[in-house]
Amino acid sequence: MKSISLIQFLIEEKRAGHINSELSLLIEVVARACKRISVAVAKGALGGVLGNAGTDNIQGEAQKKLDVISNEILLEANAWGGHLAACASEEMDDPQPIPDAYPKGHHLLLFDPLDGSSNIDVNVSVGTIFSVLLCPDDIDEVRAEHFLQKGTEQVAAGYVVYGPSTLLVLTFGHGVHEFTLDREHGSFVLSRRGMTIPAQTSEFAVNMANQRHWEAPMQRYVGELQAGSTGPRGRDFNMRWVASMVADVHRIVTRGGVFIYPLDARIREQGGKLRLMYEANPMAFIVEQAGGAATTGRERIMGLQPTGLHQRVPVFLGSKDEIEVVTRYHLESDDSRT
Ligand code: FBP
């Protein structure tokens, strides 16, 4: 395959009318920032970037040094480009306006600067997840409420995996495409065009340690997967859990599977573990664009009306047939209780 750089691909997408110049520039800037994060992650202990930063984020989670460094790299890179009205991050309580010194654009950017924090210090793949929305017209000051748009309003979404190789996976609503960072030339090169998720799968990803806290339909679903060929599903299933959403989802976008972070008794009050605006929605957009499905166990994730910038939701995503089964089990269980 003739090598196509990310820049070339963005020009093609512009010519096809899928994106405009401002969105193209935005993606270029985010990709460049992620190249810098990739260098910082790869340095590890030699760069003094491992361990805790000694501060907590709005969710009361201890911030890792790389959480803070990645957040700053993305903020700095996106401040002066003129393609953004504001951005919001897992690591910041409130949206970050574009400094008055710089021109403002028409897009809103949300990101989880470093996903998979529990894996940073043990050299397991981590990543960056981002979502792009349009900023409502005629507003003087961008506030959190302007970001609270349904996932179906996203104009772009992507993630970067910092693993053995650094990969950028992207959608503008016209399929899902993967780019690999060519470290020698310092540029992202198209490595897979039009990725698709098989409807059927025998692979599931969930943190089994939380099983005793799960709802009944979730117990039923995973119990049947574990029973395999001796149970009602009549075939065997295998399990994987990296505990970095980007790595687990990338495996699914590459070869199929289901990823589940359900509601459980420990996290019922907060509504789930993963965040809707910069984890669930961008991953749901990518998975749906690759032919998969993404629900809360009950509703389509991208159809949810957000109520808060750091809102959490249950996440069930991946191969369509399995998401259909586990969602049906939850709805049947709800019906049986009414
Ligand atoms: P952050 O690291 O960005 O907070 O993301 C949450 C996350 O690490 C996901 O990447 C991952 O899927 C999940 O939490 C792992 O949860 P657990 O520690 O329960 O296995």
Side-chain angles (χ1 to χ4, degrees):
M1 177 166 87
K2 189 171 127 337
S3 83
I4 298 174
S5 69
L6 174 64
I7 308 293
Q8 216 175 328
F9 177 84
L10 293 171
I11 292 167
E12 284 176 11
E13 289 294 289
K14 249 192 307 186
R15 286 190 186 131
H18 295 162
I19 60 174
N20 60 26
S21 301
E22 195 180 280
L23 182 53
S24 174
L25 174 62
L26 188 159
I27 297 299
E28 263 186 72
V29 170
V30 169
R32 203 175 309 126
C34 290
K35 276 194 272 185
R36 288 179 54 202
I37 297 172
S38 173
V39 171
V41 169
K43 276 211 183 103
L46 303 183
V49 297
L50 301 184
N52 288 351
T55 48
D56 290 353
N57 64 19
I58 184 172
Q59 293 136 88
E61 294 159 342
Q63 290 178 307
K64 296 280 187 179
K65 287 182 187 165
L66 273 168
D67 285 326
V68 176
I69 292 166
S70 308
N71 195 54
E72 279 158 12
I73 288 175
L74 281 157
L75 288 179
E76 196 194 296
N78 284 289
W80 52 266
H83 49 277
L84 276 186
C87 49
S89 161
E90 177 184 321
E91 302 306 332
M92 303 184 307
D93 304 10
D94 303 307
Q96 176 94 5
I98 298 301
D100 289 337
Y102 301 123
K104 292 182 179 42
H106 304 88
H107 292 90
L108 300 174
L109 175 67
L110 298 115
F111 51 84
D112 175 355
L114 207 77
D115 175 64
S117 307
S118 66
N119 281 326
I120 291 174
D121 296 346
V122 291
N123 200 25
V124 171
S125 297
V126 292
T128 295
I129 309 172
F130 63 90
S131 169
V132 184
L133 298 162
L134 287 174
C135 184
D137 294 328
D138 312 325
I139 54 166
D140 304 331
E141 190 212 331
V142 179
R143 294 183 298 281
E145 71 209 55
H146 299 122
F147 286 83
L148 303 185
Q149 302 175 36
K150 291 184 176 181
T152 47
E153 298 303 315
Q154 293 176 95
V155 292
Y159 61 77
V160 175
V161 184
Y162 309 110
S165 47
T166 292
L167 301 176
L168 162 67
V169 172
L170 194 54
T171 189
F172 297 118
H174 300 274
V176 175
H177 315 288
E178 176 201 84
F179 301 82
T180 301
L181 180 59
D182 174 343
R183 292 194 186 285
E184 281 159 53
H185 301 97
S187 57
F188 281 104
V189 177
L190 183 66
S191 40
R192 282 186 248 232
R193 191 191 282 271
M195 300 176 82
T196 54
I197 300 174
Q200 281 236 326
T201 183
S202 301
E203 208 164 55
F204 68 101
V206 67
N207 184 341
M208 291 297 291
N210 302 327
Q211 183 164 24
R212 68 186 182 285
H213 305 295
W214 292 341
E215 297 180 279
M218 187 55 194
Q219 301 279 8
R220 174 190 175 193
Y221 176 69
V222 172
E224 290 182 0
L225 300 184
Q226 290 176 297
S229 54
T230 66
R233 301 300 306 272
R235 62 190 174 92
D236 291 339
F237 289 79
N238 197 8
M239 200 204 100
R240 290 280 178 273
W241 184 248
V242 181
S244 287
M245 186 185 194
V246 277
D248 282 309
V249 171
H250 186 66
R251 183 187 59 250
I252 289 167
V253 174
T254 306
R255 70 180 189 207
V258 286
F259 169 91
I260 302 175
Y261 212 109
L263 200 58
D264 70 48
R266 300 161 315 138
I267 52 178
R268 180 177 303 288
E269 289 309 302
Q270 62 186 44
K273 162 129 184 183
L274 301 173
R275 281 51 63 127
L276 175 62
M277 299 308 292
Y278 40 79
E279 290 174 321
N281 266 338
M283 291 306 204
F285 190 18
I286 289 165
V287 164
E288 286 197 6
Q289 278 291 310
T295 75
T296 62
R298 292 173 169 89
E299 298 173 71
R300 182 190 179 204
I301 285 175
M302 291 219 293
L304 294 175
Q305 175 51 53
T307 55
L309 203 51
H310 302 287
Q311 172 186 355
R312 300 170 187 256
V313 292
V315 175
F316 296 72
L317 59 77
S319 294
K320 200 172 249 179
D321 294 1
E322 281 309 310
I323 299 302
E324 191 281 321
V325 172
V326 68
T327 305
R328 178 161 42 81
Y329 285 8
H330 281 74
L331 297 174
E332 283 171 1
S333 161
D334 294 348
D335 290 349
S336 67
R337 275 184 293 145
T338 51

